[in-house]
Amino acid sequence: MTPLPPVLRARRAALSVALCAALTAVLTACGEDPDAGTNGIAKLSAAEIETKARATADAATSVRLSGTLVSKGGTYKLNMRLKHDGGTGSVTSKDNTFELLRIGDALYLKADAGFWTHVDGEGDEKPGTSDSQAAGKLNDKYVKVPKGDPAYKQFRGFTDMDVLLEGLLGMQGDLSKGDRTQVGGVRTIKVMAGEGTGGTLDVSLEGKPYPLQFARAGGAGVLTLGDWDKDFALAAPSKDETVDYGQKLPKTSD
């Protein structure tokens, strides 16, 4: 085999070094690019990211919402699956846990006897015999909440996907971009509203720009949003699981 002349050997060596340097630069650049493999929304402004997140949420058919919500002096732990025509899940308040199920306008509430006999803000007052008897009939049964009952609007709000998302995603004030982080193993970008006016929203950098977590301003709760667009069944409880109490529910603390 005829050896290459020194000049050609030098040129080949120089070419190899140049190619290796170029390849290293490409690989290094890819490794340093925080948006590599993402949906690219992190390159947008904070306002544009928030707009896309809201549009994606508005177009979604369903969502799971879980976490803590502080509202009107009360703290609630939510674990709800929601879609536009109803929802199901549980709500835990300071004193009780209850389940909610809504199909269209039909709203059902299920709780134990303690929920129905609890009297709020009235010292050591104990439920009377008739109260205990009524609570016993309602214990762990689905009670259809009458539309005319004062509790209907409040309980329905926990099952209304549109109402909850509108309240959560309505960020106010000047928006700014925060750190890239992760929620449930999914890469996200933070969008922050002005201090005290709207909280912090984590938007997915993978796939569709779904909102994945919202920390409300002033420590008013942190809610996680997942299972976007995953359908689930809603079915009315059977007759033997249901109690129709009438036009008005017993007074409860919630």
Side-chain angles (χ1 to χ4, degrees), residues 13 61 66 155:
T61 57
S66 59
F155 287 134

Side-chain angles (χ1 to χ4, degrees), residues 24-120:
T24 300
V26 170
L27 293 176
T28 301
C30 289
E32 292 179 351
D33 182 3
D35 297 318
T38 73
N39 53 26
I41 66 162
K43 297 178 181 179
L44 304 177
S45 70
E48 289 172 327
I49 295 172
E50 193 253 358
T51 297
K52 282 188 173 292
R54 291 194 64 173
T56 304
D58 289 343
T61 57
S62 61
V63 65
R64 179 187 290 275
L65 192 152
S66 59
T68 302
L69 177 67
V70 180
S71 177
K72 297 181 180 179
T75 299
Y76 302 90
K77 291 183 179 180
L78 277 64
N79 185 11
M80 302 295 301
R81 296 197 71 181
L82 309 167
K83 50 187 178 180
H84 295 293
D85 61 348
T88 183
S90 64
V91 179
T92 300
S93 66
K94 179 181 68 174
D95 301 293
N96 301 285
T97 295
F98 52 94
E99 297 178 28
L100 292 169
L101 169 64
R102 182 174 64 85
I103 305 169
D105 289 330
L107 176 65
Y108 301 88
L109 183 147
K110 182 179 180 181
D112 62 19
F115 173 87
W116 298 108
T117 57
H118 179 77
V119 179
D120 186 43

Side-chain angles (χ1 to χ4, degrees), residues 1 6 12 30 60 67 75 99 108 110-111 145 151 153 158 161 181 193-194 207 211 221-222 228 249 252-253:
M1 181 174 63
R12 186 176 67 179
C30 289
T75 299
E99 297 178 28
Y108 301 88
K110 182 179 180 181
V145 183
K153 183 178 180 180
F158 287 117
M161 178 176 172
T181 183
V222 177
W228 286 101
L249 296 179
T252 74
S253 62

Side-chain angles (χ1 to χ4, degrees), residues 196-207:
T197 61
T200 301
L201 180 67
D202 279 270
V203 182
S204 177
L205 290 174
E206 302 177 19

Side-chain angles (χ1 to χ4, degrees), residues 93-192:
S93 66
K94 179 181 68 174
D95 301 293
N96 301 285
T97 295
F98 52 94
E99 297 178 28
L100 292 169
L101 169 64
R102 182 174 64 85
I103 305 169
D105 289 330
L107 176 65
Y108 301 88
L109 183 147
K110 182 179 180 181
D112 62 19
F115 173 87
W116 298 108
T117 57
H118 179 77
V119 179
D120 186 43
E122 298 185 27
D124 297 325
E125 181 179 342
K126 302 296 182 181
T129 302
S130 60
D131 296 323
S132 298
Q133 290 175 344
K137 295 178 181 179
L138 303 178
N139 181 52
D140 286 333
K141 295 283 190 179
Y142 282 102
V143 178
K144 190 170 185 179
V145 183
K147 285 186 179 181
D149 191 277
Y152 180 88
K153 183 178 180 180
Q154 179 185 7
F155 287 134
R156 182 191 168 105
F158 287 117
T159 69
D160 195 314
M161 178 176 172
D162 297 325
V163 169
L164 284 173
L165 292 182
E166 180 65 25
L168 291 175
L169 304 180
M171 302 182 77
Q172 301 175 3
D174 294 331
L175 303 181
S176 60
K177 287 194 290 186
D179 296 333
R180 291 172 174 81
T181 183
Q182 290 190 359
V183 174
V186 178
R187 288 178 291 174
T188 62
I189 181 75
K190 289 185 180 297
V191 176
M192 300 175 294

